[in-house]
Amino acid sequence: MEKMQVLGLALILLYMVTTPAYCQYYSQTVPYESLQEKTTNLHFFFHDTLSGKNPSAVLVARPNITKDDKSIAPFGSIFAIDDPLTVGPELTSEVIGKAQGLYVSSSQDVPSLVAYFDFGFTSGEFNGSSISVFSRNPIADTERELAVVGGRGKFRMARGFAQLKTYFLDKTTGDAIVEYNVTVIHY
Ligand SMILES: *[C@@H]1O[C@H](CO)[C@@H](O)[C@H](O)[C@H]1NC(C)=O
Ligand SMILES: *[C@@H]1O[C@H](CO)[C@@H](O)[C@H](O)[C@H]1NC(C)=O
Ligand SMILES: *[C@@H]1O[C@H](CO)[C@@H](O)[C@H](O)[C@H]1NC(C)=O
């Protein structure tokens, strides 16, 4: 009986020494090791469809004080998107990823949005990786720029910019096709 207790205690002690203490607060600071950075250019088309039975952009909320405003995105409206990214300007061309996130109509005078997007790629070298965009998007300008503030996977620690050109816009429905040229600096 005593032997069993000693053995039990020994096993508990062994367990305690060999098991990392996951429940402890942990912090370690080391000098920053800068790795070789690369630049990647990406080109694709973004399809933001508000109309039809299967829209890829949906209105989530809008302030009730704009209820008489008949525009598509009155000040303060929030849209959620799951927009396909394609190789060519046609929606039928090959899909290489999806842009998911939100945009908020953020200007009281000219139509302008603030975009909170994650562009996730599902094909080629960057399959499974994504880039994060957080930026003002002055949609009234045909050519504009968005800031790339981060990324995941192969785009970890990314930063850069996206140059946008409106390829198609239906002013009645808000449906848009936008050409993107993204320059990303990443590891
Ligand atoms: C908007 O909603 C608030 C809170 O429910 C209400 O007090 C206000 O009267 C509404 N305004 C309009 C224009 O409907
Ligand atoms: C992308 O990655 C997923 C998950 O690893 C895989 O199932 C899929 O086949 C890949 N697609 C392409 C086009 O490589
Ligand atoms: C993207 O880059 C290509 C090649 O430099 C150029 O022809 C095209 O106009 C650019 N498009 C945008 C939206 O900047």
Side-chain angles (χ1 to χ4, degrees):
M1 194 62 208
E2 197 137 295
K3 263 189 195 159
M4 289 298 284
Q5 276 171 354
V6 172
L7 184 64
L9 194 64
L11 281 174
I12 290 168
L13 278 172
L14 184 69
Y15 176 77
M16 281 167 74
V17 235
T18 56
T19 308
Y22 290 117
C23 55
Q24 264 176 30
Y25 170 60
Y26 178 82
S27 132
Q28 186 187 30
T29 306
V30 294
Y32 178 62
E33 234 180 278
S34 119
L35 302 164
Q36 186 63 49
E37 287 183 310
K38 301 181 281 275
T39 302
T40 297
N41 289 302
L42 302 152
H43 180 263
F44 52 81
F45 289 84
F46 166 95
H47 299 259
D48 195 47
T49 310
L50 284 77
S51 69
K53 277 200 194 112
N54 292 304
S56 62
V58 291
L59 178 67
V60 175
R62 58 180 283 182
N64 64 355
I65 56 161
T66 62
K67 69 182 196 308
D68 298 326
D69 189 333
K70 295 284 174 264
S71 62
I72 301 156
F75 174 58
S77 346
I78 300 173
F79 289 80
I81 67 157
D82 186 12
D83 285 348
L85 309 173
T86 60
V87 172
E90 307 305 329
L91 194 48
T92 48
S93 80
E94 191 197 341
V95 174
I96 52 101
K98 288 280 197 80
Q100 300 181 336
L102 298 170
Y103 54 78
V104 183
S105 177
S106 310
S107 171
Q108 300 195 69
D109 26 76
V110 291
S112 185
L113 312 171
V114 170
Y116 310 85
F117 294 160
D118 179 293
F119 287 85
F121 300 94
T122 49
S123 123
E125 191 190 346
F126 298 106
N127 184 11
S129 298
S130 64
I131 54 175
S132 308
V133 163
F134 165 43
S135 189
R136 182 179 289 240
N137 184 0
I139 48 169
D141 303 346
T142 307
E143 293 191 39
R144 51 199 189 273
E145 180 179 319
L146 308 184
V148 173
V149 297
R152 298 168 54 253
K154 289 199 169 160
F155 290 126
R156 198 179 274 181
M157 304 281 283
R159 62 198 192 284
F161 54 93
Q163 287 168 300
L164 279 61
K165 206 182 283 173
T166 304
Y167 176 85
F168 165 84
L169 174 68
D170 182 327
K171 288 202 169 106
T172 320
T173 60
D175 291 357
I177 301 172
V178 184
E179 183 188 357
Y180 271 71
N181 267 347
V182 193
T183 303
V184 195
I185 300 164
H186 60 104
Y187 292 131

